[in-house]
PDB file of all heavy atoms in Angstrom:
ATOM      1  N   ILE A   1      70.076 116.064 -92.482  1.00  0.00           N
ATOM      2  CA  ILE A   1      69.018 117.022 -92.817  1.00  0.00           C
ATOM      3  C   ILE A   1      68.158 117.209 -91.576  1.00  0.00           C
ATOM      4  O   ILE A   1      67.677 116.236 -90.994  1.00  0.00           O
ATOM      5  CB  ILE A   1      68.172 116.515 -94.001  1.00  0.00           C
ATOM      6  CG1 ILE A   1      69.076 116.315 -95.231  1.00  0.00           C
ATOM      7  CG2 ILE A   1      67.039 117.485 -94.305  1.00  0.00           C
ATOM      8  CD1 ILE A   1      68.427 115.544 -96.357  1.00  0.00           C
ATOM      9  N   ILE A   2      67.984 118.465 -91.187  1.00  0.00           N
ATOM     10  CA  ILE A   2      67.200 118.785 -89.997  1.00  0.00           C
ATOM     11  C   ILE A   2      65.986 119.616 -90.393  1.00  0.00           C
ATOM     12  O   ILE A   2      65.931 120.158 -91.497  1.00  0.00           O
ATOM     13  CB  ILE A   2      68.054 119.532 -88.950  1.00  0.00           C
ATOM     14  CG1 ILE A   2      68.600 120.852 -89.525  1.00  0.00           C
ATOM     15  CG2 ILE A   2      69.200 118.639 -88.460  1.00  0.00           C
ATOM     16  CD1 ILE A   2      69.384 121.706 -88.534  1.00  0.00           C
ATOM     17  N   SER A   3      65.031 119.720 -89.506  1.00  0.00           N
ATOM     18  CA  SER A   3      63.857 120.571 -89.716  1.00  0.00           C
ATOM     19  C   SER A   3      63.981 121.802 -88.833  1.00  0.00           C
ATOM     20  O   SER A   3      64.325 121.687 -87.652  1.00  0.00           O
ATOM     21  CB  SER A   3      62.574 119.827 -89.347  1.00  0.00           C
ATOM     22  OG  SER A   3      62.380 118.739 -90.201  1.00  0.00           O
ATOM     23  N   ARG A   4      63.695 122.966 -89.426  1.00  0.00           N
ATOM     24  CA  ARG A   4      63.733 124.207 -88.673  1.00  0.00           C
ATOM     25  C   ARG A   4      62.548 125.072 -89.081  1.00  0.00           C
ATOM     26  O   ARG A   4      62.128 125.065 -90.240  1.00  0.00           O
ATOM     27  CB  ARG A   4      65.040 124.982 -88.909  1.00  0.00           C
ATOM     28  CG  ARG A   4      66.268 124.319 -88.306  1.00  0.00           C
ATOM     29  CD  ARG A   4      66.175 124.324 -86.779  1.00  0.00           C
ATOM     30  NE  ARG A   4      67.324 123.731 -86.129  1.00  0.00           N
ATOM     31  CZ  ARG A   4      67.363 122.505 -85.625  1.00  0.00           C
ATOM     32  NH1 ARG A   4      66.335 121.717 -85.727  1.00  0.00           N
ATOM     33  NH2 ARG A   4      68.446 122.065 -85.015  1.00  0.00           N
ATOM     34  N   ASN A   5      62.006 125.831 -88.127  1.00  0.00           N
ATOM     35  CA  ASN A   5      60.844 126.675 -88.382  1.00  0.00           C
ATOM     36  C   ASN A   5      61.272 128.006 -88.989  1.00  0.00           C
ATOM     37  O   ASN A   5      62.152 128.679 -88.457  1.00  0.00           O
ATOM     38  CB  ASN A   5      60.066 126.915 -87.086  1.00  0.00           C
ATOM     39  CG  ASN A   5      59.530 125.623 -86.513  1.00  0.00           C
ATOM     40  OD1 ASN A   5      59.050 124.768 -87.250  1.00  0.00           O
ATOM     41  ND2 ASN A   5      59.643 125.467 -85.212  1.00  0.00           N
ATOM     42  N   VAL A   6      60.641 128.384 -90.087  1.00  0.00           N
ATOM     43  CA  VAL A   6      60.982 129.612 -90.803  1.00  0.00           C
ATOM     44  C   VAL A   6      60.414 130.813 -90.058  1.00  0.00           C
ATOM     45  O   VAL A   6      59.207 130.897 -89.825  1.00  0.00           O
ATOM     46  CB  VAL A   6      60.436 129.567 -92.249  1.00  0.00           C
ATOM     47  CG1 VAL A   6      60.661 130.898 -92.958  1.00  0.00           C
ATOM     48  CG2 VAL A   6      61.077 128.428 -93.013  1.00  0.00           C
ATOM     49  N   GLU A   7      61.288 131.760 -89.707  1.00  0.00           N
ATOM     50  CA  GLU A   7      60.869 132.982 -89.022  1.00  0.00           C
ATOM     51  C   GLU A   7      60.833 134.177 -89.972  1.00  0.00           C
ATOM     52  O   GLU A   7      60.203 135.182 -89.659  1.00  0.00           O
ATOM     53  CB  GLU A   7      61.818 133.282 -87.858  1.00  0.00           C
ATOM     54  CG  GLU A   7      61.750 132.240 -86.752  1.00  0.00           C
ATOM     55  CD  GLU A   7      62.701 132.550 -85.612  1.00  0.00           C
ATOM     56  OE1 GLU A   7      63.274 133.658 -85.550  1.00  0.00           O
ATOM     57  OE2 GLU A   7      62.892 131.655 -84.762  1.00  0.00           O
ATOM     58  N   THR A   8      61.509 134.101 -91.117  1.00  0.00           N
ATOM     59  CA  THR A   8      61.569 135.203 -92.066  1.00  0.00           C
ATOM     60  C   THR A   8      60.186 135.474 -92.628  1.00  0.00           C
ATOM     61  O   THR A   8      59.543 134.573 -93.182  1.00  0.00           O
ATOM     62  CB  THR A   8      62.555 134.896 -93.216  1.00  0.00           C
ATOM     63  OG1 THR A   8      63.833 134.618 -92.645  1.00  0.00           O
ATOM     64  CG2 THR A   8      62.649 136.046 -94.192  1.00  0.00           C
ATOM     65  N   GLU A   9      59.697 136.710 -92.481  1.00  0.00           N
ATOM     66  CA  GLU A   9      58.333 137.066 -92.892  1.00  0.00           C
ATOM     67  C   GLU A   9      58.070 136.803 -94.379  1.00  0.00           C
ATOM     68  O   GLU A   9      57.007 136.326 -94.752  1.00  0.00           O
ATOM     69  CB  GLU A   9      58.059 138.533 -92.572  1.00  0.00           C
ATOM     70  CG  GLU A   9      56.605 138.921 -92.782  1.00  0.00           C
ATOM     71  CD  GLU A   9      56.315 140.328 -92.309  1.00  0.00           C
ATOM     72  OE1 GLU A   9      56.953 140.800 -91.356  1.00  0.00           O
ATOM     73  OE2 GLU A   9      55.441 140.960 -92.912  1.00  0.00           O
ATOM     74  N   ALA A  10      59.029 137.096 -95.224  1.00  0.00           N
ATOM     75  CA  ALA A  10      58.848 136.914 -96.671  1.00  0.00           C
ATOM     76  C   ALA A  10      59.081 135.466 -97.102  1.00  0.00           C
ATOM     77  O   ALA A  10      58.935 135.149 -98.275  1.00  0.00           O
ATOM     78  CB  ALA A  10      59.795 137.835 -97.432  1.00  0.00           C
ATOM     79  N   GLY A  11      59.428 134.606 -96.170  1.00  0.00           N
ATOM     80  CA  GLY A  11      59.713 133.224 -96.507  1.00  0.00           C
ATOM     81  C   GLY A  11      61.166 133.044 -96.900  1.00  0.00           C
ATOM     82  O   GLY A  11      61.943 133.996 -96.966  1.00  0.00           O
ATOM     83  N   ILE A  12      61.536 131.783 -97.151  1.00  0.00           N
ATOM     84  CA  ILE A  12      62.910 131.448 -97.528  1.00  0.00           C
ATOM     85  C   ILE A  12      62.858 130.494 -98.706  1.00  0.00           C
ATOM     86  O   ILE A  12      62.181 129.468 -98.664  1.00  0.00           O
ATOM     87  CB  ILE A  12      63.665 130.794 -96.349  1.00  0.00           C
ATOM     88  CG1 ILE A  12      63.741 131.753 -95.150  1.00  0.00           C
ATOM     89  CG2 ILE A  12      65.065 130.363 -96.793  1.00  0.00           C
ATOM     90  CD1 ILE A  12      64.341 131.142 -93.901  1.00  0.00           C
ATOM     91  N   GLY A  13      63.598 130.821 -99.756  1.00  0.00           N
ATOM     92  CA  GLY A  13      63.649 129.979-100.950  1.00  0.00           C
ATOM     93  C   GLY A  13      64.487 128.737-100.742  1.00  0.00           C
ATOM     94  O   GLY A  13      65.137 128.551 -99.707  1.00  0.00           O
ATOM     95  N   PHE A  14      64.498 127.886-101.763  1.00  0.00           N
ATOM     96  CA  PHE A  14      65.289 126.663-101.723  1.00  0.00           C
ATOM     97  C   PHE A  14      66.735 126.988-102.107  1.00  0.00           C
ATOM     98  O   PHE A  14      66.990 127.838-102.942  1.00  0.00           O
ATOM     99  CB  PHE A  14      64.733 125.626-102.691  1.00  0.00           C
ATOM    100  CG  PHE A  14      63.285 125.280-102.452  1.00  0.00           C
ATOM    101  CD1 PHE A  14      62.487 124.895-103.506  1.00  0.00           C
ATOM    102  CD2 PHE A  14      62.726 125.329-101.191  1.00  0.00           C
ATOM    103  CE1 PHE A  14      61.155 124.563-103.313  1.00  0.00           C
ATOM    104  CE2 PHE A  14      61.398 125.004-100.978  1.00  0.00           C
ATOM    105  CZ  PHE A  14      60.607 124.619-102.038  1.00  0.00           C
ATOM    106  N   GLY A  15      67.687 126.295-101.489  1.00  0.00           N
ATOM    107  CA  GLY A  15      69.092 126.521-101.797  1.00  0.00           C
ATOM    108  C   GLY A  15      69.627 127.809-101.208  1.00  0.00           C
ATOM    109  O   GLY A  15      70.529 128.423-101.765  1.00  0.00           O
ATOM    110  N   LYS A  16      69.099 128.227-100.067  1.00  0.00           N
ATOM    111  CA  LYS A  16      69.511 129.482 -99.417  1.00  0.00           C
ATOM    112  C   LYS A  16      70.194 129.194 -98.083  1.00  0.00           C
ATOM    113  O   LYS A  16      69.820 128.271 -97.356  1.00  0.00           O
ATOM    114  CB  LYS A  16      68.303 130.394 -99.166  1.00  0.00           C
ATOM    115  CG  LYS A  16      67.517 130.737-100.412  1.00  0.00           C
ATOM    116  CD  LYS A  16      68.322 131.540-101.382  1.00  0.00           C
ATOM    117  CE  LYS A  16      67.505 131.925-102.601  1.00  0.00           C
ATOM    118  NZ  LYS A  16      68.305 132.592-103.610  1.00  0.00           N
ATOM    119  N   ALA A  17      71.174 130.024 -97.749  1.00  0.00           N
ATOM    120  CA  ALA A  17      71.848 129.918 -96.458  1.00  0.00           C
ATOM    121  C   ALA A  17      70.923 130.462 -95.377  1.00  0.00           C
ATOM    122  O   ALA A  17      70.329 131.528 -95.544  1.00  0.00           O
ATOM    123  CB  ALA A  17      73.154 130.701 -96.472  1.00  0.00           C
ATOM    124  N   VAL A  18      70.796 129.704 -94.292  1.00  0.00           N
ATOM    125  CA  VAL A  18      69.950 130.151 -93.184  1.00  0.00           C
ATOM    126  C   VAL A  18      70.772 130.223 -91.904  1.00  0.00           C
ATOM    127  O   VAL A  18      71.735 129.487 -91.715  1.00  0.00           O
ATOM    128  CB  VAL A  18      68.720 129.234 -92.983  1.00  0.00           C
ATOM    129  CG1 VAL A  18      67.744 129.396 -94.130  1.00  0.00           C
ATOM    130  CG2 VAL A  18      69.111 127.783 -92.821  1.00  0.00           C
ATOM    131  N   ALA A  19      70.358 131.147 -91.039  1.00  0.00           N
ATOM    132  CA  ALA A  19      71.029 131.372 -89.766  1.00  0.00           C
ATOM    133  C   ALA A  19      70.053 131.114 -88.624  1.00  0.00           C
ATOM    134  O   ALA A  19      68.838 131.064 -88.833  1.00  0.00           O
ATOM    135  CB  ALA A  19      71.538 132.814 -89.703  1.00  0.00           C
ATOM    136  N   GLN A  20      70.593 130.984 -87.432  1.00  0.00           N
ATOM    137  CA  GLN A  20      69.761 130.776 -86.250  1.00  0.00           C
ATOM    138  C   GLN A  20      68.794 131.938 -86.086  1.00  0.00           C
ATOM    139  O   GLN A  20      69.184 133.092 -86.173  1.00  0.00           O
ATOM    140  CB  GLN A  20      70.641 130.645 -85.003  1.00  0.00           C
ATOM    141  CG  GLN A  20      69.865 130.456 -83.714  1.00  0.00           C
ATOM    142  CD  GLN A  20      69.063 129.154 -83.705  1.00  0.00           C
ATOM    143  OE1 GLN A  20      69.573 128.111 -84.067  1.00  0.00           O
ATOM    144  NE2 GLN A  20      67.816 129.230 -83.279  1.00  0.00           N
ATOM    145  N   GLY A  21      67.526 131.620 -85.869  1.00  0.00           N
ATOM    146  CA  GLY A  21      66.518 132.637 -85.635  1.00  0.00           C
ATOM    147  C   GLY A  21      66.438 132.999 -84.164  1.00  0.00           C
ATOM    148  O   GLY A  21      67.288 132.607 -83.355  1.00  0.00           O
ATOM    149  N   ASP A  22      65.377 133.709 -83.794  1.00  0.00           N
ATOM    150  CA  ASP A  22      65.185 134.110 -82.403  1.00  0.00           C
ATOM    151  C   ASP A  22      64.721 132.955 -81.525  1.00  0.00           C
ATOM    152  O   ASP A  22      65.106 132.841 -80.372  1.00  0.00           O
ATOM    153  CB  ASP A  22      64.153 135.251 -82.309  1.00  0.00           C
ATOM    154  CG  ASP A  22      64.681 136.544 -82.909  1.00  0.00           C
ATOM    155  OD1 ASP A  22      65.909 136.769 -82.884  1.00  0.00           O
ATOM    156  OD2 ASP A  22      63.857 137.335 -83.405  1.00  0.00           O
ATOM    157  N   ALA A  23      63.878 132.097 -82.082  1.00  0.00           N
ATOM    158  CA  ALA A  23      63.312 130.984 -81.318  1.00  0.00           C
ATOM    159  C   ALA A  23      64.192 129.738 -81.422  1.00  0.00           C
ATOM    160  O   ALA A  23      64.985 129.602 -82.356  1.00  0.00           O
ATOM    161  CB  ALA A  23      61.915 130.654 -81.847  1.00  0.00           C
ATOM    162  N   ASP A  24      64.021 128.837 -80.464  1.00  0.00           N
ATOM    163  CA  ASP A  24      64.677 127.540 -80.571  1.00  0.00           C
ATOM    164  C   ASP A  24      64.210 126.889 -81.874  1.00  0.00           C
ATOM    165  O   ASP A  24      63.026 126.950 -82.220  1.00  0.00           O
ATOM    166  CB  ASP A  24      64.277 126.634 -79.407  1.00  0.00           C
ATOM    167  CG  ASP A  24      64.829 127.102 -78.069  1.00  0.00           C
ATOM    168  OD1 ASP A  24      65.650 128.042 -78.059  1.00  0.00           O
ATOM    169  OD2 ASP A  24      64.426 126.540 -77.045  1.00  0.00           O
ATOM    170  N   LYS A  25      65.116 126.277 -82.594  1.00  0.00           N
ATOM    171  CA  LYS A  25      64.826 125.587 -83.852  1.00  0.00           C
ATOM    172  C   LYS A  25      64.198 126.505 -84.900  1.00  0.00           C
ATOM    173  O   LYS A  25      63.484 126.054 -85.782  1.00  0.00           O
ATOM    174  CB  LYS A  25      63.972 124.345 -83.609  1.00  0.00           C
ATOM    175  CG  LYS A  25      64.687 123.328 -82.742  1.00  0.00           C
ATOM    176  CD  LYS A  25      64.054 121.985 -82.795  1.00  0.00           C
ATOM    177  CE  LYS A  25      64.896 121.017 -81.978  1.00  0.00           C
ATOM    178  NZ  LYS A  25      64.512 119.663 -82.172  1.00  0.00           N
ATOM    179  N   GLY A  26      64.478 127.805 -84.814  1.00  0.00           N
ATOM    180  CA  GLY A  26      64.006 128.758 -85.807  1.00  0.00           C
ATOM    181  C   GLY A  26      65.160 129.171 -86.709  1.00  0.00           C
ATOM    182  O   GLY A  26      66.320 129.152 -86.299  1.00  0.00           O
ATOM    183  N   VAL A  27      64.836 129.507 -87.973  1.00  0.00           N
ATOM    184  CA  VAL A  27      65.850 129.998 -88.902  1.00  0.00           C
ATOM    185  C   VAL A  27      65.349 131.219 -89.649  1.00  0.00           C
ATOM    186  O   VAL A  27      64.145 131.411 -89.819  1.00  0.00           O
ATOM    187  CB  VAL A  27      66.278 128.923 -89.940  1.00  0.00           C
ATOM    188  CG1 VAL A  27      67.073 127.808 -89.300  1.00  0.00           C
ATOM    189  CG2 VAL A  27      65.098 128.387 -90.718  1.00  0.00           C
ATOM    190  N   VAL A  28      66.320 132.030 -90.074  1.00  0.00           N
ATOM    191  CA  VAL A  28      66.078 133.217 -90.894  1.00  0.00           C
ATOM    192  C   VAL A  28      67.114 133.200 -92.010  1.00  0.00           C
ATOM    193  O   VAL A  28      68.117 132.490 -91.929  1.00  0.00           O
ATOM    194  CB  VAL A  28      66.193 134.521 -90.074  1.00  0.00           C
ATOM    195  CG1 VAL A  28      65.116 134.599 -88.999  1.00  0.00           C
ATOM    196  CG2 VAL A  28      67.581 134.648 -89.450  1.00  0.00           C
ATOM    197  N   LEU A  29      66.886 133.984 -93.052  1.00  0.00           N
ATOM    198  CA  LEU A  29      67.900 134.128 -94.086  1.00  0.00           C
ATOM    199  C   LEU A  29      69.158 134.740 -93.488  1.00  0.00           C
ATOM    200  O   LEU A  29      69.067 135.609 -92.615  1.00  0.00           O
ATOM    201  CB  LEU A  29      67.395 135.033 -95.208  1.00  0.00           C
ATOM    202  CG  LEU A  29      66.479 134.387 -96.231  1.00  0.00           C
ATOM    203  CD1 LEU A  29      65.903 135.446 -97.166  1.00  0.00           C
ATOM    204  CD2 LEU A  29      67.209 133.321 -97.030  1.00  0.00           C
ATOM    205  N   VAL A  30      70.318 134.305 -93.944  1.00  0.00           N
ATOM    206  CA  VAL A  30      71.567 134.911 -93.493  1.00  0.00           C
ATOM    207  C   VAL A  30      71.555 136.382 -93.902  1.00  0.00           C
ATOM    208  O   VAL A  30      71.156 136.729 -95.013  1.00  0.00           O
ATOM    209  CB  VAL A  30      72.782 134.181 -94.105  1.00  0.00           C
ATOM    210  CG1 VAL A  30      74.059 134.962 -93.862  1.00  0.00           C
ATOM    211  CG2 VAL A  30      72.901 132.786 -93.526  1.00  0.00           C
ATOM    212  N   SER A  31      71.967 137.238 -92.970  1.00  0.00           N
ATOM    213  CA  SER A  31      72.010 138.678 -93.239  1.00  0.00           C
ATOM    214  C   SER A  31      73.121 139.293 -92.407  1.00  0.00           C
ATOM    215  O   SER A  31      73.822 138.588 -91.683  1.00  0.00           O
ATOM    216  CB  SER A  31      70.667 139.322 -92.879  1.00  0.00           C
ATOM    217  OG  SER A  31      70.473 139.260 -91.474  1.00  0.00           O
ATOM    218  N   ALA A  32      73.252 140.595 -92.486  1.00  0.00           N
ATOM    219  CA  ALA A  32      74.275 141.293 -91.707  1.00  0.00           C
ATOM    220  C   ALA A  32      74.027 141.135 -90.213  1.00  0.00           C
ATOM    221  O   ALA A  32      74.964 141.150 -89.416  1.00  0.00           O
ATOM    222  CB  ALA A  32      74.304 142.768 -92.089  1.00  0.00           C
ATOM    223  N   THR A  33      72.775 140.967 -89.802  1.00  0.00           N
ATOM    224  CA  THR A  33      72.458 140.832 -88.385  1.00  0.00           C
ATOM    225  C   THR A  33      72.247 139.385 -87.958  1.00  0.00           C
ATOM    226  O   THR A  33      72.184 139.101 -86.774  1.00  0.00           O
ATOM    227  CB  THR A  33      71.189 141.635 -88.033  1.00  0.00           C
ATOM    228  OG1 THR A  33      70.115 141.173 -88.850  1.00  0.00           O
ATOM    229  CG2 THR A  33      71.414 143.125 -88.251  1.00  0.00           C
ATOM    230  N   ALA A  34      72.131 138.476 -88.915  1.00  0.00           N
ATOM    231  CA  ALA A  34      71.939 137.054 -88.617  1.00  0.00           C
ATOM    232  C   ALA A  34      72.993 136.267 -89.377  1.00  0.00           C
ATOM    233  O   ALA A  34      72.793 135.893 -90.523  1.00  0.00           O
ATOM    234  CB  ALA A  34      70.532 136.610 -89.012  1.00  0.00           C
ATOM    235  N   SER A  35      74.127 136.037 -88.740  1.00  0.00           N
ATOM    236  CA  SER A  35      75.240 135.416 -89.449  1.00  0.00           C
ATOM    237  C   SER A  35      75.688 134.083 -88.862  1.00  0.00           C
ATOM    238  O   SER A  35      76.689 133.528 -89.278  1.00  0.00           O
ATOM    239  CB  SER A  35      76.426 136.382 -89.500  1.00  0.00           C
ATOM    240  OG  SER A  35      76.828 136.707 -88.184  1.00  0.00           O
TER     241      SER A  35
END
């Protein structure tokens, strides 16, 4: 289990797939542009 900073403006729920964000150690929800 790792810690990552949430970059998604609307937040991220529990049990969701996350992808690498723009920043080091950042994550966003998986999407068509973040896979």
Side-chain angles (χ1 to χ4, degrees):
I1 300 167
I2 60 176
S3 295
R4 291 294 181 259
N5 298 319
V6 174
E7 294 180 11
T8 303
E9 188 173 329
I12 299 174
F14 303 150
K16 303 296 182 186
V18 290
Q20 179 63 46
D22 291 331
D24 291 352
K25 298 196 176 191
V27 290
V28 296
L29 280 172
V30 169
S31 67
T33 58
S35 60

